[in-house]
Amino acid sequence: MAVQRSEPVSIWALGGPLLEGPVWVARDAALWFTDIKRHRIYRYDPASGERSEWAAPDQVGFVLPIAGGGFVAGLKTGLARFDPADGSFAPLCDPEPQHPNNRLNDATVDPLGRLWFGTMDDGEATVSGCIYRLGADGACVRESDLCSITNGPALSPDGRILYHTDTLGGLIHACDVGEDGRLSNRRLFAAIPNEEGYPDGPTVDAEGCVWTGLYKGGAVRRYSPAGELLEVIRFPVSAITKIAFGGPGLKTVYATTARKHCTPEEVAKEPREGDLFAFEVAVPGLPCPEIRVGV
């Protein structure tokens, strides 16, 4: 049975080059997301309609909540503690000082409060990115093989399976997560031909199904925990980067989009490219845990 209950519509006309990292933060009932290329962090409150933004010191791929207040931001220069009260950023950890052309891209928090994130070549060509976990000692632990554009990770509802994406390869992988946070048994979860779009950020719902935005595919896909394609939600724009579940009952899907690789002719045809979108679904998402480890 289809879970989609309404069509995706633009709710914030940003026209951003690369919106990313949407996350519903329960403690303030708002959606947070970024524009990587504009060095911006955004907050959207659907109840009041309030829209807020902050300038970041560099490219910023994600912001995720810390238990007790504040956020961890994924900057090009590494992880930083972000305080929206004064807009400050305090460096925490640079996972790849040996790769100055890499940047942090996408992230999630597991049920134990551990931060997982990926890096990538900012030029989207060199095979130099991988998945990391923030350890209890504040150090970044590498947990994957190299690829050029990492996306995710995302986790199953019990936190025992981690999904991460090789975007240019069109591959979504699954791994088992050990009690110590180590990954094992890496296997192919889904493969998407490039002509159908590039799998971007993955997200998991309450039924354990994996959703992925399709960059240059004009859609979001929903896969069963076994990797079977269940549903395709079409958009009026071509580049969907990631979704997040939010709102009452976590049944509103928010989707970030981008116009970074669009020609002027494509933007004229799809003027809502780079906006924040929303639509309703019948199956809820999962709440985002707060970061409790390593900060």
Side-chain angles (χ1 to χ4, degrees):
M1 180 182 296
V3 302
Q4 182 182 3
R5 291 294 178 266
S6 68
E7 295 300 318
V9 295
S10 170
I11 59 170
W12 192 345
L14 286 163
L18 190 54
L19 304 188
E20 258 289 7
V23 59
W24 181 259
V25 178
R27 67 189 180 208
D28 66 348
L31 184 85
W32 292 73
F33 61 102
T34 72
D35 187 328
I36 295 175
K37 297 303 178 182
R38 283 182 178 165
H39 305 184
R40 288 290 185 271
I41 296 169
Y42 296 102
R43 178 185 181 273
Y44 171 67
D45 181 340
S48 67
E50 180 183 4
R51 294 164 167 83
S52 308
E53 68 177 274
W54 294 259
D58 207 327
Q59 296 184 76
V60 54
F62 61 85
V63 287
L64 289 167
I66 300 172
F71 293 80
V72 169
L75 303 175
K76 185 176 187 297
T77 50
L79 299 175
R81 183 184 286 266
F82 165 59
D83 184 353
D86 60 9
S88 63
F89 293 80
L92 291 172
C93 175
D94 180 359
E96 296 176 338
Q98 75 279 19
H99 292 304
N101 294 323
N102 273 12
R103 64 172 173 82
L104 276 63
N105 188 46
D106 196 6
T108 195
V109 184
D110 73 17
L112 298 179
R114 297 178 296 205
L115 173 67
W116 297 80
F117 63 95
T119 62
M120 61 172 282
D121 171 35
D122 193 36
E124 303 180 6
T126 304
V127 181
S128 58
C130 59
I131 300 298
Y132 288 88
R133 170 176 49 86
L134 184 61
D137 60 355
C140 299
V141 183
R142 178 178 159 179
E143 290 288 0
S144 80
D145 295 333
L146 294 174
C147 74
S148 56
I149 301 179
T150 63
N151 264 292
L155 290 137
S156 61
D158 61 7
R160 295 181 180 179
I161 300 174
L162 179 140
Y163 303 94
H164 70 91
T165 301
D166 172 356
T167 293
L168 289 185
L171 306 173
I172 303 174
H173 298 285
C175 306
D176 296 332
V177 183
E179 294 293 333
D180 59 356
R182 304 300 304 190
L183 300 182
S184 63
N185 189 27
R186 183 172 177 265
R187 65 260 186 202
L188 182 63
F189 174 76
I192 299 172
N194 287 168
E195 58 268 22
E196 295 178 11
Y198 296 87
D200 210 307
T203 308
V204 178
D205 66 25
E207 293 183 347
C209 292
V210 179
W211 298 62
T212 184
L214 288 183
Y215 203 98
K216 290 297 184 179
V220 168
R221 289 186 175 187
R222 182 179 188 245
Y223 290 86
S224 76
E228 175 191 4
L229 178 60
L230 299 177
E231 194 165 348
V232 179
I233 292 89
R234 298 291 177 187
F235 277 68
V237 296
S238 65
I240 296 85
T241 56
K242 190 171 183 177
I243 68 145
F245 294 86
L250 298 178
K251 288 186 177 181
T252 299
V253 173
Y254 296 97
T256 48
T257 68
R259 60 170 61 184
K260 178 175 181 286
H261 296 101
C262 295
T263 65
E265 292 76 17
E266 288 172 330
V267 172
K269 184 179 179 181
E270 300 177 349
R272 298 277 65 86
E273 201 85 73
D275 288 0
L276 178 68
F277 283 76
F279 62 96
E280 301 300 318
V281 292
V283 175
L286 297 167
C288 176
E290 296 181 321
I291 301 168
R292 300 178 180 276
V293 176
V295 291

